[in-house]
Amino acid sequence: MQTGLKVTNLCKRFGGIVVADAIDLDVPAGRIVGLIGPNGAGKTSFFNLVSGVVAPDAGQVMLDGEDVTGLKMAERARRGLARTWQNLRLFPSLSVLDNLLIGTRDYPGERLSRLALQSGRIARDETQDRLKALDVLERIGLAGIAHTDIVNVPYGQQKLIGVARALMNDPRCLLLDEPMAGVEGQAYRTLQSVVRGLAASGVAVCVVEHNVAFIRDLCNEGVFMFAGKVLARGDVESLVADPRLTELYFGT
Amino acid sequence: MEYFYTVVILMALYVILAASFNFVIGYGGLVSIAHPVFYAIGAYASALLARDMGVPVILAILAGGLIALLASVALALSSLRVSGDYLLIGSIGFQLGTLEVIKNLHWTGGAGGLSNIPSFLTQTLGPQAYVAFAVAVAMCTVLLLRWIAHGPYGRAMSAMRDDELAFAALGRNAMVMKITIFALGSGLAGLAGGIYAHYFRFIAPGQFDLLQSSALLTMVVVGGLRSTWGPIVGAIALEALPQAITFINLPPSVLGPLQGILFTSLVLIFMFVRPQGLIAASARWRGRQEEAR
Ligand SMILES: Nc1ncnc2c1ncn2[C@@H]1O[C@H](COP(=O)(O)OP(=O)(O)OP(=O)(O)O)[C@@H](O)[C@H]1O
Ligand SMILES: [Mg+2]
């Protein structure tokens, strides 16, 4: 069932800080939902709760009709939930290509026993994943640096590689945490077209971004978060135009 | 000649121990000091199976490795669940506790040690055969670990060491991977234990104490963490060195402290002058295909 992501009554507090206050939010398959709100609103925390990095105090996370609330983050990823990180979290001792290879939903060489008993099959799967990774890099405009060490790649491109690594999952739901911060020029358009293509193929996409222009260009609708609460939902234009929200966003 | 064989066998055993320890702490990033205790478990299990239960020696050696492996899984399961840092604490307890148990049981020979361990190959084919056996196992160990580290599994180990959270969020099972690495490394140490026991035919708890942990750590660090040949060079050099000094006819009262000073200064020198060890590993992971290119 392709229903996308559905979150109900999600609650989480860290000591006195409420980062998720009974959040109800759905991201339908094929839609791009932008998540906006000031620093500390709880946007990243929402992604952490949905992807299983942090366990909620209450509430439910459903992925395509399946309750994944009790699953570990690795199991959620293996069901097609992919995310990127605000602070990248790439693997510095690997090349660009190798970073992507780790992101496949089923990593061929993950089990030592399989490595010994089915080495031929693993070699074939690895070759296939390699081609897929090169294809993803091509789509995102970075095929030329596939074999570069990640530490030698400029920040803006690292940001795109974070997205590319998530794409290796063939996700059903993709969470992008500030994909545009530090990215400029051509990459802006590339990222837009890649995300649009994903949504067109039925992926549920949720994007956190401070770059309002990017959100307005890309998203079908926007959600405004503040202090762990969803305050408003609608088309991005009207959210941005709402003086009450603008005041919360910029503070007074 | 007898002496020469002994030294070569010890070198081969330390190569197995250092290479497998490097696999655990270098590649796996799992900080443990209990490596000598898995060596001990393999030695005792193999010796007892062969001596008291009549198991053929070669099977006993394999069983010793397997028992060490199972013991390591028990330790990893109990301590890694809490956190990665907990393994160090757990391993200290395991190291000290296991030796204490061996010292206090009568069927292990207690503190006095276990003797009359059945020999293997030496009496039938001669000591050269045992040397060949030990060296062959050491070579297989090194090649096996190298093959793992340079393939898809090695790529995943590197990623896990770099960022465990990102690794897990991509769908990878970091816990299973850590336990597997720890089990394989410890199992190989157990295998070395059996090979030791059936050559020297006498084992005692004192041979597997914390001094061994620090000697192994020195071999790996001086040789070069996370490189294939580093721990081998470290093992051979640090095993040969004390043997070499014994040739300078010094009284034992001087010899013992001298060896200690030598080890300590070597570690200090390397930490300051060449922290990457004799053989530096590449800062980044390089797989088989990449080397071929
Ligand atoms: N693990 C944690 N422990 C304690 N407090 C936390 C934790 N994670 C987040 N917080 C707090 O929760 C609040 C929300 O943080 P979060 O990172 O979700 O905000 P955000 O909307 O992503 O902000 P930004 O736009 O700056 O990225 C912050 O006050 C933060 O300090
Ligand atoms: Mg954030």
Side-chain angles (χ1 to χ4, degrees), chain A residues 43-44 86 177-178 208:
Chain A
K43 306 178 297 293
T44 298
Q86 194 171 341
D177 201 346
E178 303 199 13
V208 166

Side-chain angles (χ1 to χ4, degrees), chain A residues 53 73-74 77-78 81 85 89-95 98 101-107 109-112 115-116 122 126 130 147 149 165 169, chain B residues 23 147-148 151-153 155-156 158-163 165-174 176-177 180 184 283-286 289-290 293:
Chain A
V53 175
M73 57 181 151
R78 296 174 79 93
L81 188 78
W85 305 84
R89 306 199 82 114
L90 298 172
F91 305 119
S93 55
L94 300 185
S95 70
D98 287 323
L101 290 176
I102 300 291
T104 49
R105 217 190 273 195
D106 281 297
Y107 183 71
E110 183 158 0
R111 290 193 177 269
L112 208 49
L115 201 66
I122 287 176
E126 277 255 313
R130 236 165 241 280
H147 300 292
D149 292 3
R165 187 176 68 177
N169 180 285
Chain B
F23 189 67
W147 177 72
I148 292 171
Y153 201 80
R155 182 196 296 121
S158 285
M160 181 186 73
R161 252 195 346 266
D162 277 352
D163 191 331
L165 181 63
F167 184 73
L170 290 169
R172 311 280 75 86
N173 195 329
V176 167
M177 185 163 242
T180 308
L184 179 63
R284 93 156 164 100
W285 180 81
R286 292 184 195 279
Q289 292 86 348
E290 228 129 356
R293 200 180 21 243

Side-chain angles (χ1 to χ4, degrees), chain B residues 15-40:
Chain B
V15 165
I16 300 174
L17 290 170
S20 55
F21 195 41
N22 179 41
F23 189 67
V24 171
I25 62 167
Y27 289 104
L30 300 168
V31 185
S32 153
I33 57 135
H35 215 56
V37 117
F38 297 112
Y39 184 41

Side-chain angles (χ1 to χ4, degrees), chain A residues 13 20 23 60 62 69 76 92 104 107 110 112 124 130 139 141 160 193-194 198-199 202 208 220 240:
Chain A
R13 57 190 308 157
I23 296 176
Q60 202 181 33
M62 307 273 283
T69 321
R76 296 186 199 198
T104 49
Y107 183 71
E110 183 158 0
L112 208 49
R124 273 197 304 282
R130 236 165 241 280
R139 268 158 64 200
L160 291 180
S193 78
V194 165
L198 283 174
V208 166
N220 305 107
V240 175

Side-chain angles (χ1 to χ4, degrees), chain B residues 132-155:
Chain B
F133 169 59
V135 170
V137 174
M139 277 167 59
C140 289
T141 300
V142 170
L143 293 176
L144 171 74
L145 295 179
R146 180 184 161 79
W147 177 72
I148 292 171
H150 287 253
Y153 201 80
R155 182 196 296 121

Side-chain angles (χ1 to χ4, degrees), chain A residues 14 17 19 38-45 86 178 210:
Chain A
F14 290 112
I17 308 169
V19 295
N39 294 116
K43 306 178 297 293
T44 298
S45 299
Q86 194 171 341
E178 303 199 13
H210 286 289

